[in-house]
Amino acid sequence: MHKVFVSFHHANDQKYKEGLVSWAEKNKVFIDGSVDMGEIPEDWDDQKIREYIRDEHLKDTTVTILLVGTETKNRKHIDWELYSSMYDGTVNKKSGIIVILLPSVKSEYYTCAHSSEKTFYPETTQWMSIDSREEYHRRYPYLPERIIDNLLEPNAFISVINWDKLTPDILRQMIDNAYNSRATCTYDLSRPMRKKKWISRIIDYGIK
């Protein structure tokens, strides 16, 4: 089993994280490598933040699962965890990433970054590639912008699935795929890391 870091909004979605970890342990899907992280000083620069998270909190994990709820996109700590998961650190290298949409943000759409995952959806006979940020916003209005940046990056290999679609075999295969492709992922890290809340709100509303 692979060691996985689960990124989530602690205040809203703790029950889903605990449920996922318990279910994964019971079904031998993954080993939980998550760490409850304390507050990081606002005056740290981006490099110090990402190295601290990558080298101390994502240590020994090779896949990051992002649980997406209604407030996930607004949390700076989640943005830090995503950035650090995509970043090749001094001690630990970049991870594969999987996005799970929680029931509160369920979508009729899904994204398969690996061809083998298309078998999860036998009812789908036609597949299309999306190259529009606006279309991703329409399909997944609660995704963090950093995830959308990388859905638009053809070599980032991030899959998106609904919570109620998960089975042990499906998630196990997704984790294997993310693990196997992580070294060749070309992540878009051009977006600055989130800092103070008011800056996040400006970014969310598209004000430059």
Side-chain angles (χ1 to χ4, degrees), residues 109-110 118 124 126-131 135-136 139:
Y109 300 100
Y110 37 84
K118 293 180 180 180
T124 301
Q126 290 186 320
W127 293 84
M128 62 184 299
S129 298
I130 307 299
D131 58 6
E135 180 62 15
Y136 274 125
R139 292 177 176 228

Side-chain angles (χ1 to χ4, degrees), residues 27-64:
N27 292 283
K28 295 181 170 54
V29 178
F30 65 79
I31 299 167
D32 180 33
S34 307
V35 178
D36 288 332
M37 183 173 58
E39 200 60 36
I40 290 177
E42 291 283 358
D43 60 354
W44 280 15
D45 63 31
D46 288 356
Q47 182 172 346
K48 187 172 182 179
I49 291 171
R50 69 193 179 214
E51 288 183 350
Y52 177 79
I53 296 174
R54 176 74 265 177
D55 296 345
E56 299 297 329
H57 293 285
L58 295 173
K59 187 176 182 179
D60 299 327
T61 62
T62 53
V63 174
T64 292

Side-chain angles (χ1 to χ4, degrees), residues 133-179:
R133 180 175 294 275
E134 291 73 19
E135 180 62 15
Y136 274 125
H137 281 153
R138 185 183 74 82
R139 292 177 176 228
Y140 307 126
Y142 294 97
L143 282 190
E145 290 295 330
R146 192 174 303 284
I147 292 294
I148 293 180
D149 291 345
N150 284 279
L151 290 176
L152 289 165
E153 167 52 58
N155 294 314
F157 310 124
I158 296 176
S159 293
V160 182
I161 190 170
N162 282 312
W163 173 270
D164 61 8
K165 185 67 177 178
L166 295 176
T167 67
D169 286 343
I170 284 177
L171 186 55
R172 198 177 292 115
Q173 184 172 342
M174 292 181 73
I175 291 171
D176 282 344
N177 289 342
Y179 173 85

Side-chain angles (χ1 to χ4, degrees), residues 9-204:
H9 181 199
H10 290 253
N12 285 8
D13 302 323
Q14 181 76 35
K15 67 177 182 179
Y16 288 106
K17 189 265 186 178
E18 292 174 354
L20 179 69
V21 169
S22 176
W23 172 83
E25 181 178 347
K26 178 180 178 181
N27 292 283
K28 295 181 170 54
V29 178
F30 65 79
I31 299 167
D32 180 33
S34 307
V35 178
D36 288 332
M37 183 173 58
E39 200 60 36
I40 290 177
E42 291 283 358
D43 60 354
W44 280 15
D45 63 31
D46 288 356
Q47 182 172 346
K48 187 172 182 179
I49 291 171
R50 69 193 179 214
E51 288 183 350
Y52 177 79
I53 296 174
R54 176 74 265 177
D55 296 345
E56 299 297 329
H57 293 285
L58 295 173
K59 187 176 182 179
D60 299 327
T61 62
T62 53
V63 174
T64 292
I65 293 177
L66 173 65
L67 301 182
V68 177
T70 56
E71 295 297 324
T72 303
K73 66 185 294 183
N74 300 318
R75 311 307 297 177
K76 67 177 182 291
H77 287 99
I78 288 175
D79 185 59
W80 296 351
E81 290 166 0
L82 289 174
Y83 194 119
S84 301
S85 295
M86 297 174 182
Y87 174 74
D88 267 337
T90 303
V91 177
N92 294 286
K93 299 302 180 181
K94 57 191 171 184
S95 295
I97 296 174
I98 297 167
V99 175
I100 299 176
L101 303 177
L102 297 178
S104 58
V105 301
K106 182 179 179 179
S107 175
E108 63 180 296
Y109 300 100
Y110 37 84
T111 297
C112 297
H114 307 88
S115 59
S116 64
E117 295 168 3
K118 293 180 180 180
T119 61
F120 305 159
Y121 307 95
E123 70 282 4
T124 301
T125 58
Q126 290 186 320
W127 293 84
M128 62 184 299
S129 298
I130 307 299
D131 58 6
S132 162
R133 180 175 294 275
E134 291 73 19
E135 180 62 15
Y136 274 125
H137 281 153
R138 185 183 74 82
R139 292 177 176 228
Y140 307 126
Y142 294 97
L143 282 190
E145 290 295 330
R146 192 174 303 284
I147 292 294
I148 293 180
D149 291 345
N150 284 279
L151 290 176
L152 289 165
E153 167 52 58
N155 294 314
F157 310 124
I158 296 176
S159 293
V160 182
I161 190 170
N162 282 312
W163 173 270
D164 61 8
K165 185 67 177 178
L166 295 176
T167 67
D169 286 343
I170 284 177
L171 186 55
R172 198 177 292 115
Q173 184 172 342
M174 292 181 73
I175 291 171
D176 282 344
N177 289 342
Y179 173 85
N180 290 333
S181 65
R182 72 195 192 286
T184 58
C185 282
T186 305
Y187 291 120
D188 179 354
L189 292 173
S190 61
R191 182 177 297 274
M193 294 172 71
R194 281 181 177 271
K195 289 299 179 65
K196 295 181 183 297
K197 290 182 179 179
W198 69 269
I199 295 176
S200 299
R201 293 194 186 102
I202 289 174
I203 292 172
D204 286 342

